[in-house]
Amino acid sequence: MASVPSAAVPDRPRRRRAPDRRPEVLDALRRNGGFVSAQGLHASMTQQGTRIGLTTVYRALAAADAEGRLEAVHARSGAKAYRYLPLVHEHHLTCRVCGAGVAFFCQVLEDWVAQLGPLHGFEDVRHAVAATGTCPGCALDDAG
């Protein structure tokens, strides 16, 4: 079996690595201000002139979720919705009907979580609270 000298093998063009689109996706999520599905975020970005694929949006959201940079909840429809997490830690009460959200802070909850980790030998404990209800506007629609 004859071997081919390496100089005889033509160089293949190297594939350029795609740029990291996470910053763009997170910025669009931050500007959205509330919970939005990947499809909704993609539609918003493309309407504003950003050329990006839906798969890229999904991948960027999954990576950001794994890093703890966003909050993910399941809407009533079963679809996952995402919200940008600001640098200041806060929780949200979210309407199960329309997705509207209200930020809140609860010191009792923060203190409890701070004690929970060491009590069970855990370190670097993080938490996400999914508080849901029906906002006043949707409650009126149901009553009327």
Side-chain angles (χ1 to χ4, degrees):
M1 179 182 245
S3 65
V4 177
S6 62
V9 177
D11 288 336
R12 291 185 185 169
R14 294 183 185 233
R15 287 181 55 187
R16 285 186 21 200
R17 184 175 172 97
D20 183 9
R21 304 292 298 266
R22 261 181 290 182
E24 280 178 90
V25 173
L26 284 175
D27 188 50
L29 191 62
R30 181 188 53 76
R31 285 191 318 265
N32 180 69
F35 284 94
V36 64
S37 68
Q39 296 93 341
L41 186 61
H42 176 259
S44 172
M45 291 177 76
T46 56
Q47 285 173 357
Q48 293 175 4
T50 303
R51 291 178 46 115
I52 190 166
L54 180 57
T55 300
T56 301
V57 172
Y58 270 109
R59 286 181 180 153
L61 289 172
D65 189 20
E67 295 170 356
R69 299 188 62 193
L70 54 85
E71 182 177 8
V73 296
H74 284 89
R76 190 179 253 180
S77 66
K80 211 170 194 182
Y82 303 90
R83 187 185 78 70
Y84 177 79
L85 281 178
L87 296 175
V88 175
H89 182 76
E90 56 189 30
H91 302 285
H92 290 84
L93 176 60
T94 306
C95 178
R96 287 187 297 265
V97 179
C98 70
V102 176
F104 69 91
F105 177 81
C106 178
Q107 189 61 52
V108 172
L109 175 63
E110 298 300 322
D111 292 344
W112 178 74
V113 170
Q115 295 170 11
L116 185 63
L119 182 65
H120 296 283
F122 283 71
E123 295 178 14
D124 191 30
V125 175
R126 299 177 188 186
H127 65 281
V129 175
T132 64
T134 306
C135 73
C138 291
L140 283 175
D141 288 346
D142 283 346

